[in-house]
Amino acid sequence: MSNIEQNPVKLLELEGVSISRSGREVLHDVTFDIYKGKFIGLIGTNGSGKTTLLRAILGIVSPSSGHIRFPSSSKQGSSNNIGYVPQKIDFDPDMPLRARDLVALGLDGNRLGISKRKKSDKLLVDSLLEQVGGTEFANSRVGELSGGEQQRIMIAHALISKPELILLDEPLANLDLRSQVEIVTLVSNLAKDSNITVLISTHDMNPLLPVMDRIIYIANGKVASGEVSEVVTTESLSSLYGHHVEVVNLKGRILVVPEFEEGGFNFLRGIPGNEDH
Amino acid sequence: MFSAFMLNAWEISSIVAVVSGVVGFFVVQRANAFAAHALPNGAFAGAAAASYLGISAVIGLSVFSLAGALVIAGLSRRTRSDVATALVVVMMLSLGSLFLSFSSGYAQQVYSLLFGEVFGISRSEILPTLLISLFCMLVVLFLYRQLLYTSVVPEAAQAKGVKLAVVDLMFLLIVALTTTMAVPVVGTVLIFTLLISPAAAARSFTNKAHIAILLSVSLALTTVWASIALSYETNYPAGFFVGACGALIYASGRIYRFIHSKNSKSREATLAHILWGLAEAALTLNTDAPLGEVKDMANIDKVVENKLPMTELNQVVHLVQFISSNN
Ligand SMILES: Nc1ncnc2c1ncn2[C@@H]1O[C@H](COP(=O)(O)OP(=O)(O)OP(=O)(O)O)[C@@H](O)[C@H]1O
Ligand SMILES: [Mg+2]
């Protein structure tokens, strides 16, 4: 898009990946590459396979065919350096763990032995907490925070170690509209500063439009990927859905509208980009 | 109270308390309470098997609890871990009751494993107990951050390269070892109390994990010291006091948090835990239950999980019914 990379480094490649859950093929023949430092939106309706795809990238779910590789990584094409914010977060309110402790676990929770955190680590935790707007509740138990507050803490926890890739699964779902814009801007800025690649799933692409470099659009178990201007077009999405859909630009919001049929507006539901705010 | 004979009791129970406080913190934190309940019960069945085969009870204890840990860890990868745990404990208990039915002669020895024999510990048992305890605590310290991280957001930890299955298995083995070591001292019923109550109470008093561990150890030590002293003075079994102190400490933790926390939801849980502790203590007082019932006793408390206070209330009802039907 705006900044032309001199030497794009391929971080991740998916080649002909198919994934089945309980005997049903959720994703079929998915192929795309992800380049370092990009901000990528993973867009699809409920049940389209976003979470499944992210978990496959993490290596928690194995594809039934195809390959997922980190070509630049030394560890046989897999990566141990991914920041992950799961879609479902369920913290025990009785757990003796403060918000700041969770952020610090993002820094060194994968290491062995007892932590002797340096002064610089503490400052880093403080600065991340401040950037996600979590200073106020830094010393509260994570289990006692609201869903949106937990989401912010989890994002700080994922970013703090400056991993090569962060995967955020529906991080906007718990947030009000203003917080959505805030979080998207924040993640994008932090990632650009540290050259972190971001893959963020959501059913509504609109909050991502200002910062998204590329889009991966899932429908029907298939994927279209590329720049927003290439993928989100009437032709390309119609061929992905297998029937005619119309891409409409309404006052800066992109709507994906199925062809009009008898029976009113109900069928608009469940097409990404059509949520009301 | 501090004669040479009593010294063994003081020493061994202090060792068991310290390791229970440390391991128990992660048992509660990782929601492994049910496994911590199942493994001692399984180990008890192993001791029954050993007594039938005429070999040392410790061998039966360790084989059964370590095997139990391995099978639970293996099955948990395929199914819900509480279901896996239930399957394992049912298997082990049924084996245990089979062996018990063969071996009437060794009943007393097996029975002592239910509630332990803190006053019957010999000098030679202290060193092995100490060594196993040190080993367990070193492993916990070595894995400290991974144990904590995987208990909070396991998938995020996996994404950072933590081998979740390995950490789970290692911890279950530590629970099994702790159990094996503690069963001859406090028994299968009370090691569970000692693993859960101090740790659960400690979580209420602080919101820092490392402080909670230190507190958990202190509370476990307080529990066993008070129990031995009270038992010595009153001649009631030490196990009764361990159960009662555990309930009391846990209740005071809940009350503290009830007062100090803004969203306190758990009146019901507090009540259930107090009743549970008291019923357990009452059970230990009922020491002349004939052997036939010992099997049932081990079967009664099938599912205890911190998260499900109602299940525990159910159990309490069963326990009370059981006790009253015996008197
Ligand atoms: N553990 C599982 N076992 C069986 N089927 C599963 C499992 N997880 C997901 N699926 C199926 O895979 C499909 C894709 O699920 P996935 O969770 O990836 O969707 P999603 O795009 O993340 O949806 P949402 O927007 O609701 O989070 C669904 O049809 C779901 O039923
Ligand atoms: Mg999902």
Side-chain angles (χ1 to χ4, degrees):
Chain A
M1 283 178 89
S2 49
N3 55 343
I4 296 143
E5 297 272 340
Q6 297 303 102
N7 247 336
V9 179
K10 197 193 280 182
L11 178 70
L12 171 65
E13 70 188 20
L14 276 80
E15 205 183 294
V17 170
S18 299
I19 303 172
S20 298
R21 306 306 310 260
S22 334
R24 196 170 60 83
E25 195 163 74
V26 176
L27 293 169
H28 176 73
D29 196 15
V30 170
T31 299
F32 61 79
D33 295 333
I34 285 180
Y35 286 89
K36 207 159 170 45
K38 299 285 184 194
F39 189 109
I40 302 132
L42 177 61
I43 316 295
T45 52
N46 292 135
S48 58
K50 303 183 292 296
T51 301
T52 305
L53 187 59
L54 294 179
R55 290 166 64 87
I57 292 172
L58 287 174
I60 300 174
V61 171
S62 334
S64 45
S65 61
H67 301 284
I68 300 176
R69 277 191 219 98
F70 288 80
S72 52
S73 164
S74 50
K75 290 175 232 73
Q76 292 162 330
S78 66
S79 174
N80 280 343
N81 193 13
I82 305 178
Y84 179 44
V85 178
Q87 180 173 12
K88 285 184 211 149
I89 319 176
D90 183 18
F91 294 127
D92 177 359
D94 290 339
M95 180 168 65
L97 192 83
R98 299 165 302 171
R100 66 165 64 255
D101 300 328
L102 179 53
V103 177
L105 278 177
L107 199 58
D108 62 12
N110 56 344
R111 305 232 194 100
L112 293 168
I114 309 219
S115 42
K116 270 189 89 183
R117 287 187 186 120
K118 293 178 298 238
K119 183 94 183 141
S120 61
D121 294 341
K122 292 201 173 109
L123 291 176
L124 191 58
V125 170
D126 282 335
S127 115
L128 257 294
L129 280 165
E130 194 190 324
Q131 291 176 75
V132 298
T135 308
E136 283 166 66
F137 45 83
N139 292 321
S140 304
R141 288 182 189 235
V142 280
E144 290 187 338
L145 300 178
S146 81
E149 289 166 344
Q150 290 177 348
Q151 201 80 266
R152 287 160 188 267
I153 296 302
M154 281 302 292
I155 289 172
H157 137 279
L159 280 164
I160 192 169
S161 63
K162 301 196 176 19
E164 53 189 2
L165 172 65
I166 65 169
L167 306 180
L168 308 178
D169 198 354
E170 301 267 6
L172 308 179
N174 269 325
L175 303 180
D176 53 54
L177 194 52
R178 210 186 89 211
S179 305
Q180 289 188 358
V181 176
E182 248 174 60
I183 287 290
V184 168
T185 320
L186 168 81
V187 170
S188 150
N189 289 341
L190 287 177
K192 286 260 147 43
D193 288 348
S194 314
N195 200 26
I196 297 172
T197 314
V198 182
L199 181 55
I200 178 169
S201 90
T202 160
H203 48 266
D204 179 8
M205 73 177 93
N206 284 296
L208 302 185
L209 288 176
V211 295
M212 183 159 51
D213 298 318
R214 299 182 74 82
I215 188 169
I216 298 171
Y217 197 109
I218 312 187
N220 268 344
K222 289 179 295 178
V223 153
S225 72
E227 293 193 357
V228 180
S229 57
E230 300 162 11
V231 174
V232 188
T233 62
T234 297
E235 297 73 47
S236 126
L237 290 190
S238 294
S239 105
L240 189 64
Y241 276 104
H243 58 81
H244 185 80
V245 295
E246 192 75 36
V247 173
V248 189
N249 191 326
L250 190 69
K251 294 181 184 160
R253 282 174 57 80
I254 295 183
L255 302 182
V256 181
V257 192
E259 205 173 17
F260 268 100
E261 289 165 15
E262 303 288 321
F265 285 92
N266 264 352
F267 56 86
L268 285 182
R269 294 244 266 24
I271 299 286
N274 286 341
E275 281 72 18
D276 284 306
H277 290 288
Chain B
M1 199 189 284
F2 298 98
S3 61
F5 156 73
M6 285 294 286
L7 207 58
N8 290 346
W10 288 111
E11 283 179 14
I12 199 123
S13 59
S14 304
I15 298 170
V16 169
V18 171
V19 69
S20 302
V22 173
V23 173
F25 172 79
F26 281 106
V27 167
V28 175
Q29 174 70 22
R30 301 172 65 80
N32 269 339
F34 186 30
H37 182 63
L39 289 172
N41 272 325
F44 161 71
S51 116
Y52 169 66
L53 298 171
I55 53 178
S56 155
V58 174
I59 296 177
L61 287 171
S62 34
V63 168
F64 264 60
S65 62
L66 291 174
L70 284 172
V71 178
I72 291 173
L75 285 178
S76 298
R77 310 203 60 190
R78 268 157 267 270
T79 178
R80 265 176 48 184
S81 71
D82 58 342
V83 174
T85 310
L87 286 173
V88 169
V89 73
V90 165
M91 259 155 41
M92 295 203 295
L93 282 175
S94 56
L95 267 180
S97 69
L98 182 69
F99 285 118
L100 263 185
S101 73
F102 293 159
S103 62
S104 48
Y106 299 91
Q108 197 49 46
Q109 184 201 339
V110 172
Y111 181 69
S112 77
L113 289 174
L114 259 186
F115 301 111
E117 274 189 316
V118 71
F119 297 118
I121 297 296
S122 71
R123 199 77 211 140
S124 63
E125 286 175 79
I126 292 185
L127 188 64
T129 309
L130 181 67
L131 291 179
I132 296 176
S133 300
L134 282 178
F135 175 76
C136 289
M137 288 192 290
L138 281 178
V139 175
V140 168
L141 290 186
F142 180 65
L143 290 177
Y144 177 78
R145 279 182 283 187
Q146 296 197 352
L147 282 171
L148 193 62
Y149 198 14
T150 51
S151 75
V152 184
V153 260
E155 289 165 322
Q158 272 179 299
K160 286 283 181 62
V162 177
K163 301 274 173 289
L164 185 59
V166 176
V167 176
D168 281 345
L169 174 64
M170 297 276 277
F171 185 66
L172 276 175
L173 290 174
I174 289 301
V175 173
L177 260 186
T178 306
T179 317
T180 306
M181 173 214 73
V183 160
V185 185
V186 289
T188 60
V189 176
L190 291 165
I191 179 59
F192 185 53
T193 310
L194 225 39
L195 279 172
I196 305 300
S197 302
R203 281 155 60 95
S204 301
F205 287 114
T206 172
N207 56 10
K208 294 183 192 135
H210 58 284
I211 306 281
I213 294 177
L214 294 177
L215 251 177
S216 166
V217 170
S218 328
L219 292 173
L221 279 171
T222 312
T223 303
V224 296
W225 287 342
S227 304
I228 290 181
L230 286 167
S231 165
Y232 185 83
E233 293 298 330
T234 62
N235 265 334
Y236 287 126
F240 165 72
F241 294 108
V242 173
C245 286
L248 209 69
I249 284 176
Y250 182 75
S252 45
R254 295 306 322 188
I255 290 165
Y256 176 88
R257 199 145 129 66
F258 190 77
I259 297 166
H260 284 83
S261 155
K262 38 185 178 162
N263 55 354
S264 41
K265 34 121 216 183
S266 40
R267 273 204 188 107
E268 185 198 332
T270 309
L271 182 67
H273 279 94
I274 296 170
L275 285 175
W276 164 250
L278 288 177
E280 199 174 72
L283 178 63
T284 66
L285 268 181
N286 184 35
T287 44
D288 31 62
L291 184 68
E293 265 94 28
V294 171
K295 288 179 276 176
D296 302 333
M297 231 187 281
N299 262 314
I300 295 166
D301 25 356
K302 262 189 290 204
V303 181
V304 175
E305 243 201 310
N306 258 358
K307 289 185 187 161
L308 298 171
M310 288 320 291
T311 326
E312 295 188 26
L313 273 180
N314 272 337
Q315 286 201 337
V316 172
V317 172
H318 282 290
L319 271 172
V320 171
Q321 280 170 352
F322 173 77
I323 292 161
S324 51
S325 71
N326 269 294
N327 284 336

